[in-house]
């Protein structure tokens, strides 16, 4: 039986972070499932178009990849999203995958990073290595993308579950807001902040909206608010514990299949 795993992410036009994050996650999956052929798809048509223009590389959408797998006569296909929340991009995967449900002997779609309660607990645990070196006056600020989708509440839930850990999550879009975070950090007596993207890749948002010297970047806003700021262009996909969470989602899905 020909078997494939399709790894789907939003994508990025930044080759360096693509290699460190998306490709790193794909490699973990390749190593863990040698009996499966592993393929890539992106959900962002804009990113796909720019990569084609800038690098001459063609990347499939979810529907294009599934059509290709059907034409190549794969019988079992597992889709593993690398999205962070069950937001609009994940639902785009579901919509494009739906017409193919009857085209394969086995067809399953796994889940994004944050779906079940245990996912939140594992993600919080993955931050321990960043937290442990901090002094009492230091804190971490995570830049999430945010969403207009109802799943934007994912970020507020995770922020709440962090409890008294020196970590704040806020979003480029939607809630929680950076202004609220500034107020909270000042009240906690924090003076030095470490800015990280809470995104799979350290791409455009991390490079420009978070870490640049532009007047409206988060770095600049936090400096004006009186904090010392250090930026870290490290995507979630570089974190081996995050990679392991995606692998655990695949493993759970495979075990469900075996029990059917």
């Amino acid at each position: 039986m020909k078997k494939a795993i399709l790894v789907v992410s939003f994508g990025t036009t930044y080759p360096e972070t693509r290699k460190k994050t998306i490709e790193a996650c794909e490699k973990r999956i390749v190593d863990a499932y040698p009996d499966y052929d592993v393929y890539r798809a992106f959900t962002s048509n804009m990113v796909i178009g720019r990569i084609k223009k800038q690098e001459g590389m063609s990347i499939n959408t979810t529907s294009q990849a599934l059509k290709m797998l059907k034409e190549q006569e794969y019988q079992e296909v597992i889709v593993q999203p690398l999205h962070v929340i069950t937001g609009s991009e994940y639902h785009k995967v579901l919509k494009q995958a739906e017409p193919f449900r009857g085209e394969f002997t086995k067809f399953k779609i796994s889940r994004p990073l944050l779906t079940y309660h245990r996912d939140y607990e594992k993600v919080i645990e993955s931050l321990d290595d960043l937290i442990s070196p901090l002094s009492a006056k230091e804190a971490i600020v995570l830049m999430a993308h945010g969403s207009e989708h109802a799943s934007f509440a994912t970020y507020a839930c995770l922020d709440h579950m962090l409890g008294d850990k020196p970590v704040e999550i806020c979003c480029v879009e939607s809630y929680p807001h950076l202004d609220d975070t500034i107020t909270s950090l000042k009240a906690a007596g924090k003076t030095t902040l470490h800015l990280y993207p809470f995104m799979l890749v350290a791409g455009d948002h991390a490079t420009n909206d978070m870490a640049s010297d532009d007047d409206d970047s988060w770095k600049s806003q936090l400096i004006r608010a009186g904090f010392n700021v250090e930026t870290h262009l490290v995507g979630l996909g570089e974190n081996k514990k995050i990679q392991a969470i995606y692998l655990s989602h695949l493993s759970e899905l495979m075990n469900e299949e075996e029990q059917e």
Side-chain angles (χ1 to χ4, degrees), residues 21-74:
T21 57
I22 295 171
E23 289 185 20
C25 290
E26 291 168 345
K27 187 176 186 305
R28 288 286 298 269
I29 293 171
V30 168
D31 292 343
Y33 295 96
D35 294 338
Y36 288 77
D37 297 325
V38 178
Y39 293 90
R40 172 188 297 174
F42 287 171
T43 53
S44 172
N45 292 318
M46 179 189 68
V47 169
I48 290 171
R50 286 185 181 177
I51 290 175
K52 178 66 174 177
K53 183 177 180 180
Q54 296 169 4
E55 303 177 47
M57 181 168 60
S58 297
I59 297 174
N60 287 323
T61 63
T62 304
S63 57
Q64 289 169 341
L66 291 173
K67 181 182 178 186
M68 178 268 293
L69 293 174
K70 177 188 172 185
E71 291 171 350
Q72 293 188 12
E73 299 182 343
Y74 279 86

Side-chain angles (χ1 to χ4, degrees), residues 245-257:
I245 295 172
Y246 287 119
L247 282 173
S248 72
H249 292 179
L250 264 177
S251 177
E252 289 174 21
L253 194 65
M254 300 291 190
N255 289 335
E256 285 176 8
E257 286 190 334

Side-chain angles (χ1 to χ4, degrees), residues 174-191:
S174 69
Y175 177 87
H177 302 293
L178 182 60
D179 289 344
D180 297 325
T181 297
I182 289 173
T183 301
S184 175
L185 290 167
K186 284 187 173 182
K190 304 300 181 181
T191 58

